[in-house]
């Protein structure tokens, strides 16, 4: 069985219960856990050999009980160190599917993430591991930019610039459609030209090797890494961004600072109870 197939099987089992990526754990309700147990190997070796690539070879650890736990995240952990932030031994692990081409990811990073970093990541409680999910063709440049920056360990410094840019600033359009003017401006910010111009403008400031970045951005290797993450997300049932899993508990879509802090508190309490 190929190494990619070995990841795909436990990963699919881990989140097989997620019909939609919008599940959340809030208040005193029990968390919507996912099954971390790997399924049996397929009977036909030819079927395994023909399986599409889905990511690195990561052996799953069995979750000890029916609570949320960092062990539940083992099949989905990220190998690229530049796409991670926080204590590797943190009791909570969050997998984030996102892209620099996503308006709602931009709002999440601009408005919600500062509190997450201060209260959860910097205190050693949470580790964040990111995969790129271009939810539409227009988001592909942003996803490749993210992956190329990660190869130089510059994803997170670049995120401080590109996510506010793609969000457009102001209040997020919660509960309403974008106006025609807002949509047009957003589509313009999503373009390869606009995003690369932003990267070039801050490359020296964030110590990004611009020429190496351009070579990586245009490389088949980066395209393949983005496709790997996208395929894994789709196999897990995620079709939009941001899409998050924390200690085995999924949450999809933008969440305000207050709502997301409540979510993390609930997962933390359930993981340690």
């Amino acid at each position: 069985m190929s190494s990619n197939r070995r990841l795909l099987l436990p990963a699919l089992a881990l989140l097989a219960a997620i019909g939609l990526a919008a599940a959340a754990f809030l208040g005193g309700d029990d968390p919507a856990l996912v099954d971390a147990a790997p399924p049996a190997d397929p009977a036909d070796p030819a079927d395994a050999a023909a399986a599409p690539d889905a990511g690195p070879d990561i052996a799953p650890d069995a979750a000890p009980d029916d609570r949320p736990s960092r062990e539940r995240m083992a099949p989905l952990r990220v190998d690229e160190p530049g796409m991670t932030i926080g204590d590797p031994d943190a009791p909570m692990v969050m997998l984030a599917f996102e892209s620099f081409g996503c308006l709602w990811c931009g709002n999440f990073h601009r408005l919600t993430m500062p509190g997450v970093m201060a209260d959860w990541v910097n205190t050693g409680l949470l580790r964040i591991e990111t995969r790129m999910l271009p939810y539409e063709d227009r988001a592909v440049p942003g996803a490749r930019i993210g992956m190329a920056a990660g190869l130089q360990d510059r994803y997170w410094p670049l995120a401080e610039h590109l996510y506010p840019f793609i969000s457009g600033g102001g209040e997020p359009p919660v509960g309403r459609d974008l106006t025609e003017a807002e949509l047009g401006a957003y589509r313009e910010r999503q373009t390869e030209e606009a995003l690369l111009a932003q990267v070039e403008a801050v490359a020296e400031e964030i110590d990004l090797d611009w020429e190496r970045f351009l070579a990586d951005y245009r490389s088949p290797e980066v395209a393949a890494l983005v496709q790997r993450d996208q395929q894994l997300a789709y196999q897990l049932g995620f079709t939009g961004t941001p899409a998050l899993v924390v200690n085995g508990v999924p949450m999809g879509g933008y969440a305000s600072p207050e709502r997301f802090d409540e979510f993390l508190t609930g997962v933390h309490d359930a993981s340690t109870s």
Side-chain angles (χ1 to χ4, degrees):
M1 181 183 299
S2 70
S3 63
N4 289 326
R5 180 63 171 178
R6 283 197 295 272
L7 172 65
L8 181 60
L9 289 173
L12 286 175
L14 178 68
L15 293 180
I18 305 178
L20 298 173
F25 175 53
L26 297 172
D29 294 336
D30 291 336
L33 285 175
V34 292
D35 184 7
D41 291 346
D44 186 353
D47 290 343
D53 290 345
D57 184 9
I58 306 174
D61 295 328
D65 51 38
D66 60 355
R67 297 178 301 171
S69 67
R70 72 192 308 275
E71 287 77 16
R72 292 182 178 275
M73 302 301 295
L76 301 182
R77 300 295 294 269
V78 172
D79 275 347
E80 293 81 19
M83 304 301 291
T84 67
I85 193 167
D87 186 348
D89 297 320
M92 298 171 65
V93 176
M94 179 169 86
L95 176 68
F97 287 100
E98 55 192 17
S99 164
F100 286 138
C102 165
L103 180 145
W104 287 110
C105 298
N107 282 309
F108 183 78
H109 273 260
R110 180 171 62 92
L111 301 173
T112 302
M113 203 55 131
V116 174
M117 294 296 295
D119 298 336
W120 296 92
V121 176
N122 294 343
T123 58
L125 291 173
L126 180 70
R127 178 173 176 83
I128 303 175
E129 303 188 352
T130 301
R131 293 185 183 274
M132 294 285 95
L133 172 55
Y135 68 99
E136 62 176 354
D137 288 344
R138 293 184 181 90
V140 169
R144 293 186 181 180
I145 286 171
M147 190 65 72
L151 294 180
Q152 295 188 46
D153 197 18
R154 298 290 88 192
Y155 176 79
W156 292 98
L158 186 57
E160 296 183 11
H161 296 273
L162 279 195
Y163 279 124
F165 169 75
I166 197 65
S167 77
E171 290 297 316
V174 176
R176 67 174 180 85
D177 293 331
L178 295 175
T179 66
E180 186 174 342
E182 288 173 330
L183 182 60
Y186 170 45
R187 296 301 192 209
E188 176 59 32
R189 295 193 301 272
Q190 276 186 310
T191 63
E192 180 181 59
E193 293 78 10
L195 289 171
L196 288 179
Q198 292 294 315
V199 178
E200 185 176 18
V202 301
E204 184 174 356
E205 177 183 343
I206 66 171
D207 196 26
L208 179 76
D209 184 327
W210 173 246
E211 295 303 324
R212 176 188 166 189
F213 166 81
L214 279 182
D216 288 336
Y217 169 78
R218 295 165 177 159
S219 70
E221 290 77 15
V222 160
L225 288 171
V226 170
Q227 186 177 32
R228 173 206 67 187
D229 287 358
Q230 183 182 47
Q231 184 179 26
L232 178 59
Y234 288 169
Q235 293 283 357
L236 299 174
F238 292 124
T239 57
T241 49
L244 314 167
V245 184
V246 182
N247 276 19
V249 183
M251 171 179 264
Y254 169 78
S256 67
E258 297 77 15
R259 182 168 179 256
F260 199 66
D261 187 72
E262 187 179 355
F263 169 75
L264 289 178
T265 299
V267 175
H268 176 267
D269 291 348
S271 298
T272 57
S273 61

